[in-house]
Structure formats: structure tokens, C-alpha cells
Amino acid sequence: MTYQQAGRVAILKRVAGWIIFIPALISTLISLMTFLEKSREKREGINAVMQDFSHVMIDMIRFNTGFLDMFWHNSPQPDFNHGSNLSFWIVYALIFVGLALQASGARMWRQSRHLREGIEDQLILENAKGAEGRSRQQLEEKIVIPRHTILLQVFPLYVLPVVIAVAGYFILKLLGFIY
């Protein structure tokens, strides 16, 4: 793969990453708000006030985001107290797949840009050598672009989802939504 092709692949990866990340994030946030909305147990004291406040805020968000009705009606509704939530966890994982794709594309883009600048710099030096200097084509043939797979993106793909899931579990447990 030439560095020009690597630049194009990098742009495609970044765009695909954002296309996967944004809907998955919106769907996950709406799923969590739906979970909070469904848990309508009667509580006492400050918990009742906080629960009423959260329900009012969720209703206001739903009312003011009519353009997201597709997500409000089709996002998987998790139930953390019973059963499996496979569809919710798949959509949650897509957030981090999109982040890893975007990070991989950003790395490829930086490398292709650096290679392009390096070739331009080397071409100036080769032109200074005169007739014995190498041409642009000869310089480009020597370049080998490494493959960038999203599986090598350790933090956004493996560490971050677990950290956020554990933090979310403790927050929902602390607020009394998971028992």
C-alpha cells in the first residue's frame, strides 16, 4: 500500500469510526435514560425528590429531541436487575469499536502525512545530488506502510469499556437503581 492509499484508508477509517460511534453513543444514552425512567418505585425523602427530578429531566429531554424519535423507539431497553441485556451490551461495545476505528485512522493519517513530508524533504536532498539522486518514484517504492488494525487500540477497545461499565454500575447501585 502506498502512502497515498494509506491516507485514503485513514480518512475512511476515521469517517467510519465517527459513523459507528455517534449513533451507538446516542442509543446507549437513550437506553440508560429509558432504564432510569422505567424504574418508578416509590421512595422516601431525598431519594423521592431526586427520582422525580430525574423523571422530569428525562421527559424534557425526550420532548425536546423529537429528531431522535428513531432512537427513543428502537434503542434496546436494559434491565440490569433481571435477565441478559445482550443487545444493549452490543450497542455499548460499538461505541468503543468506533473510537478504536477513529484512533487507528488518526494514527494512519499522521503517519502518511509524516511520510509525505519526509519524501518531499528527501526529494530536495536527492535533487541536490544531481543525476545520481533518486527520483520520487524510487523513494516511494522503498516505503512499506504497516497495517493498522483496530485490535491494537488497547485503551479505547479493551480498558475504557470496562472502566466505564464498572463506574456506571457503582453509580447506579449507589443511586438505588440496581439492587
Side-chain angles (χ1 to χ4, degrees), residues 76-77 84-92:
Q77 297 179 2
S84 69
N85 304 307
L86 185 62
S87 59
F88 171 77
W89 290 114
I90 289 172
V91 172
Y92 175 74

Side-chain angles (χ1 to χ4, degrees), residues 37-105:
E37 185 72 23
K38 295 286 183 202
S39 59
R40 287 189 180 262
E41 347 175 320
K42 290 296 180 189
R43 297 190 179 138
E44 298 178 1
I46 191 71
N47 287 340
V49 173
M50 290 301 291
Q51 184 180 20
D52 289 343
F53 177 74
S54 70
H55 290 304
V56 168
M57 293 304 293
I58 292 169
D59 286 341
M60 186 177 71
I61 291 170
R62 178 178 283 167
F63 178 75
N64 289 320
T65 56
F67 58 93
L68 296 176
D69 275 345
M70 181 186 80
F71 288 104
W72 283 104
H73 296 297
N74 298 319
S75 292
Q77 297 179 2
D79 183 10
F80 297 119
N81 295 315
H82 310 93
S84 69
N85 304 307
L86 185 62
S87 59
F88 171 77
W89 290 114
I90 289 172
V91 172
Y92 175 74
L94 283 176
I95 292 173
F96 303 101
V97 169
L99 282 175
L101 259 174
Q102 198 279 334
S104 175

